[in-house]
Amino acid sequence: MMNSKKNAFYAQSGGVTAVINASACGVIETAAKSKKIDKVLCGENGILGALNENLIDTSKESKTTIAKLKNTPGGAFGSCRFKLQDPIKQKKEYERLFEVFAAHDIGFFFYNGGGDSQDTTFKVSEMAKKLKFPLQCIGIPKTVDNDLPYTDCSPGFGSVAKYVATSTLEAGLDVKSMAETSTKVFILEVMGRHAGWIAAASCLAASNQGDPPHIILLPEIPFEKNKFIARVKETVKKHGYCVIVASEGTKTKAGKFLADSGLTDAFGHKQLGGVAPVISSMISKIGLKNHWAVADYLQRSARHIASKTDLDQAYAVGAQAVKLAVAGKTAVMPVIKRLSDTPYKWQIGTAPLKNIANIEKSVPRKFISKDGFAVTSAGRRYLNPLIQGEAPTSFKHGMPEVALLKKSFVKKKLKKF
Amino acid sequence: MMNSKKNAFYAQSGGVTAVINASACGVIETAAKSKKIDKVLCGENGILGALNENLIDTSKESKTTIAKLKNTPGGAFGSCRFKLQDPIKQKKEYERLFEVFAAHDIGFFFYNGGGDSQDTTFKVSEMAKKLKFPLQCIGIPKTVDNDLPYTDCSPGFGSVAKYVATSTLEAGLDVKSMAETSTKVFILEVMGRHAGWIAAASCLAASNQGDPPHIILLPEIPFEKNKFIARVKETVKKHGYCVIVASEGTKTKAGKFLADSGLTDAFGHKQLGGVAPVISSMISKIGLKNHWAVADYLQRSARHIASKTDLDQAYAVGAQAVKLAVAGKTAVMPVIKRLSDTPYKWQIGTAPLKNIANIEKSVPRKFISKDGFAVTSAGRRYLNPLIQGEAPTSFKHGMPEVALLKKSFVKKKLKKF
């Protein structure tokens, strides 16, 4: 009897998250139950794994290891920042891809990433159509930035939101207790170069009037130094301290990033980024002792304080991607649809991949207070459900237990690319 | 019948920790069971609360709220960075203290802080002796820096150690997955101006050869740029990526802090600190894409990832302080005594407060590898038990639940100081 099963290709792309491996787990576990999918072969380092024929055979991993992916931050199979060339101008990369897919009997293509990555998924699907190559191409959404269109929220965001809100609450209590004789202002820099969703999520730290964060700086609102400094002074006068959460993408009216405001080191070399030290410098000038933190990768890898809602959604989009592919769909992406805020109800919908890279969802004005420094109740209503629920990881010897993959590579059948 | 009970004064001093309130809880709950202690009155903002007669009556708080102190980071009663003047040269402050103690029938003095704060406790005890004022003065150890003498470890350290090790593990997985096409080096800056215990604790993230952190920078080991850069290059070549954990106090042979290496902003103003951006700048110059994080207050307030061992010890020293005071002891401090590494066994001992401020315990050379970039197995053996066990907090609406104190102030009896 002929084996009608085909292998599936799965890869991770772009900046990773605390829960992207939960999507991988959703793909692998669901594919294992499918009558149409044989093995899930994962590209090492995203699409590069396909180009270089570096394919990790997940059937060689134990079920326990695959389940542990849900507890493992980062991209377990390696991710990449690599854009395929334009298929019209330069077909070589695409031809190679299909050569690899043919050699390894791949009939399903799952690409787990943000807007740019889904543009790749779309281009692969177009090429498959053109070549009459039977390949179901499904995007799996992921980004901590929460800026993907068509989906109510992006898997990966809820966990960074929970991390940032928790850290704001905790550090807020710290600075509050120091403020009388020491640190009066604390600045936390978070990710978000173009959209301020992560900084906005810090609003969830506050449960009472006057609670931190006192000032949120978003890329959506032009930074005005005088207005900002006045608000810092006012806050310290009123509450004794001031907690600021700043998006890395905070910029002036002229569109100049604060982080690029020209720090130079002792050798006159331009110093890279960090909006927090720039703001700290401003605040030191008005004589207020301050401290600053830059969460950077800590925020997007903090699986230990992941949101259960986010983890569930990340798994669900992975699982649904397989179902869509098996049902013959292509050039689509499962998305999160919100059915209600309170109680929070969601389900999985489907969105087309076409044009996905051209739409970036920033924080709508109605979610931002009139003065630009806070989040409105409409914003809180949107954000709050996304951090609900805890998803504790297992610990061993005091440390989180993560999946240790064997990474058994499929035997190469082709020449080096 | 005459009431033979006396009130107790408790206050928090210096930089706060994720578990200092657990010590407060230990004091309050144990005092409640004592036949010699009436109320525990907490100084608002440390010793300032005594000087200004701002005393919070903990008997007005519910038992549930007091129990929740164990879940609450920061200093719930406010801390201070304030050194009493020398009692020989300037007696005014000490006279005021005893005036307040007399007015509020205080017979027990508990001061929760680091070396400098315990020097204060000692001075208060000396003055009490001199004035023949019946006051049992007990220090309660606390510092994230782990540099207190006489004690095997300092309450507060184990939790920051667990946070830093967990963050290193998580961010390490992140950068590992990005390294092929993007970020190759990640730098995490942690606290520790004079002692590198916190940076050293990041070694616990590694469970296998080659695991992050690949380089640890300690104040104990003079920073040599060429040697460091060579090691970074070597590590990237070998593992594909490099994770560095740097103490804020990393300094050159000449004793110059790297963080003070002269960053200036666009206006020519000197930019404050951050060893991570300075190292990032060095690494960018050799053409390696890198990211950096500064944990700052996030690390010392991260109650959500506290060590159960640390939490238990913080509570125990608070409880024991009360027992020592009630037993008539003064000018002492309960300390942690290690009985064995594996299995980890500890008990509470007692140390004198005299001279405590003059001894700072740095990381011993035998805990540091020959090349100065790693922690030896002896170091791991010491550090490992301190992060054991998890102490999950309760969550409400997706956020950690913390104690919300009523802060009922005792009616003032004296004139303003």
Side-chain angles (χ1 to χ4, degrees), chain A residues 34-225:
Chain A
S34 162
K35 283 173 189 156
K36 294 194 177 170
I37 299 179
D38 189 6
K39 291 174 178 176
V40 177
L41 308 178
C42 292
E44 190 192 37
N45 300 318
I47 199 75
L48 288 178
L51 290 174
N52 298 325
E53 212 189 347
N54 290 330
L55 305 171
I56 298 161
D57 185 351
T58 60
S59 72
K60 307 289 189 199
E61 308 289 345
S62 73
K63 279 187 184 175
T64 319
T65 302
I66 295 300
K68 270 191 195 157
L69 285 172
K70 282 184 281 192
N71 287 355
T72 309
F77 302 98
S79 186
C80 70
R81 292 203 186 276
F82 181 86
K83 228 180 149 150
L84 286 177
Q85 295 186 33
D86 190 285
I88 312 294
K89 290 183 199 151
Q90 176 55 275
K91 282 163 66 175
K92 236 177 70 185
E93 285 177 349
Y94 284 85
E95 283 165 1
R96 169 69 176 187
L97 276 188
F98 284 91
E99 205 185 356
V100 172
F101 293 160
H104 294 280
D105 204 22
I106 287 168
F108 306 93
F109 178 84
F110 300 108
Y111 210 40
N112 203 168
D116 281 343
S117 312
Q118 299 317 342
D119 187 55
T120 297
T121 315
F122 180 68
K123 281 177 181 155
V124 171
S125 77
E126 288 287 285
M127 190 57 80
K129 214 188 289 177
K130 208 167 153 185
L131 299 171
K132 297 197 169 43
F133 189 104
L135 188 75
Q136 315 309 123
C137 300
I138 312 287
I140 303 173
K142 169 250 46 157
T143 175
V144 291
D145 292 326
N146 203 39
D147 58 357
L148 283 174
Y150 309 129
T151 183
D152 180 67
C153 61
S154 307
F157 170 67
S159 293
V160 73
K162 192 173 183 105
Y163 171 92
V164 166
T166 300
S167 298
T168 302
L169 171 86
E170 292 179 333
L173 288 167
D174 187 312
V175 63
K176 186 183 180 185
S177 53
M178 301 307 295
E180 179 68 22
T181 54
S182 181
T183 306
K184 288 195 165 40
V185 180
F186 177 70
I187 308 136
L188 171 60
E189 173 177 336
V190 299
M191 286 179 159
R193 195 114 179 120
H194 302 293
W197 289 107
I198 297 176
S202 68
C203 77
L204 301 173
S207 44
N208 293 296
Q209 194 73 29
D211 280 355
H214 304 103
I215 299 177
I216 300 176
L217 299 176
L218 306 166
E220 286 84 354
I221 304 293
F223 179 79
E224 294 174 59
K225 189 175 167 182

Side-chain angles (χ1 to χ4, degrees), chain A residues 263-309:
Chain A
L263 292 181
T264 48
D265 66 17
F267 312 96
H269 295 114
K270 196 162 170 154
Q271 175 75 18
L272 285 172
V275 67
V278 172
I279 292 173
S280 159
S281 179
M282 285 179 195
I283 291 169
S284 297
K285 266 168 233 162
I286 57 165
L288 290 174
K289 183 164 159 56
N290 61 86
H291 260 247
W292 53 271
V294 176
D296 196 64
Y297 283 179
L298 269 51
Q299 69 200 287
R300 74 176 199 193
S301 61
R303 173 62 187 85
H304 73 272
I305 184 78
S307 151
K308 175 75 161 57
T309 299

